[in-house]
Amino acid sequence: GAVVSQHPSRVICKSGTSVKIECRSLDFQATTMFWYRQFPKQSLMLMATSNEGSKATYEQGVEKDKFLINHASLTLSTLTVTSAHPEDSSFYICSAPPQGLKNQPQHFGDGTRLSIL
Amino acid sequence: RKEVEQDPGPFNVPEGATVAFNCTYSNSASQSFFWYRQDCRKEPKLLMSVYSSGNEDGRFTAQLNRASQYISLLIRDSKLSDSATYLCVVSRGAAGNKLTFGGGTRVLVKP
């Protein structure tokens, strides 16, 4: 069964709307979670590293004020796309490494397909 | 130059045939290597980790060549269900560190 739950799976909304995406680790604690974005026919690109209890670390070129990340607990990270525009339409996906287990592959959420009209 | 590069394909493979493809990585500090499979409009799913000595999981064989900085994946006796995009994934540290994805190699298995 899924060990990382991502919600919602699909969002369609108007330009200017802010959209919140949740990523939950279901049966393990995740002090770190990663947020990726994938445009059509492209690979996953890391956007930011979400750190429990501290600020997220953003990759170069990713606007931290546009993509707000909150990691308030050991099982939940949220990504908010603020004032979304059509160019933000993409597949957003989170991942979480099992805490305390070195070299164990990360678990991915099911992804959120965001469409901004 | 991309940190992880793959031939995008598609590789058109007759059912039952063998297909192999590589992935090159540029950062010699990379430590962990994986092959993920991604179906259309779905999240990536781990296919297998890649170990230094090479490893096999059923019909899938992965090899790592640190000297030349490439990873390979071989699929034997291809099934129609093997049709997918195969993502080469590299981490500089342990698996819990940031992952860098290749662009993916698309494989189409045909009857």
Side-chain angles (χ1 to χ4, degrees):
Chain A
V3 294
V4 174
S5 173
Q6 192 171 335
H7 178 80
S9 59
R10 186 83 165 95
V11 179
I12 302 173
C13 57
K14 294 180 180 179
S15 183
T17 306
S18 291
V19 178
K20 180 187 281 188
I21 303 169
E22 294 186 347
C23 180
R24 292 180 185 274
S25 57
L26 297 182
D27 56 2
F28 65 97
Q29 294 181 334
T31 55
T32 301
M33 290 186 180
F34 300 99
W35 286 97
Y36 297 85
R37 179 169 55 182
Q38 186 178 31
F39 291 108
K41 297 187 178 181
Q42 295 187 25
S43 189
L44 278 76
M45 295 296 294
L46 180 66
M47 297 176 66
T49 303
S50 175
N51 304 299
E52 189 269 334
S54 64
K55 292 183 179 180
T57 306
Y58 290 81
E59 296 299 302
Q60 191 174 9
V62 179
E63 299 176 57
K64 62 179 181 180
D65 294 330
K66 181 165 183 65
F67 300 98
L68 301 178
I69 291 174
N70 184 279
H71 196 148
S73 78
L74 287 170
T75 60
L76 174 64
S77 174
T78 61
L79 167 68
T80 301
V81 184
T82 61
S83 186
H85 293 284
E87 60 266 28
D88 299 322
S89 298
S90 188
F91 186 54
Y92 293 84
I93 189 165
C94 67
S95 74
Q99 185 178 355
L101 298 177
K102 291 185 178 181
N103 295 321
Q104 290 300 307
Q106 298 184 24
H107 300 292
F108 282 84
D110 291 342
T112 297
R113 195 159 299 279
L114 176 63
S115 299
I116 307 297
L117 306 177
Chain B
R1 183 187 173 189
K2 293 180 181 178
E3 193 168 334
V4 180
E5 294 205 66
Q6 293 183 249
D7 183 337
F11 283 65
N12 294 301
V13 184
E15 189 176 9
T18 296
V19 61
F21 41 89
N22 291 342
C23 156
T24 59
Y25 60 96
S26 60
N27 194 321
S28 59
S30 301
Q31 295 185 24
S32 301
F33 308 90
F34 309 92
W35 282 105
Y36 277 76
R37 169 194 171 127
Q38 186 175 29
D39 293 291
C40 189
R41 303 173 77 85
K42 298 283 188 181
E43 79 281 11
K45 292 186 185 296
L46 178 68
L47 180 65
M48 59 196 302
S49 302
V50 185
Y51 302 118
S52 298
S53 56
N55 48 298
E56 188 175 307
D57 184 359
R59 297 180 294 106
F60 299 85
T61 301
Q63 296 280 351
L64 168 63
N65 186 315
R66 287 189 183 271
S68 301
Q69 294 185 196
Y70 76 84
I71 306 150
S72 65
L73 180 67
L74 182 144
I75 307 174
R76 287 187 302 277
D77 188 22
S78 298
K79 311 291 185 189
L80 296 177
S81 58
D82 294 332
S83 296
T85 296
Y86 291 85
L87 303 173
C88 174
V89 183
V90 173
S91 171
R92 292 185 192 180
N97 286 13
K98 294 192 293 186
L99 302 179
T100 302
F101 286 78
T105 295
R106 192 168 173 217
V107 172
L108 297 173
V109 181
K110 300 185 176 181

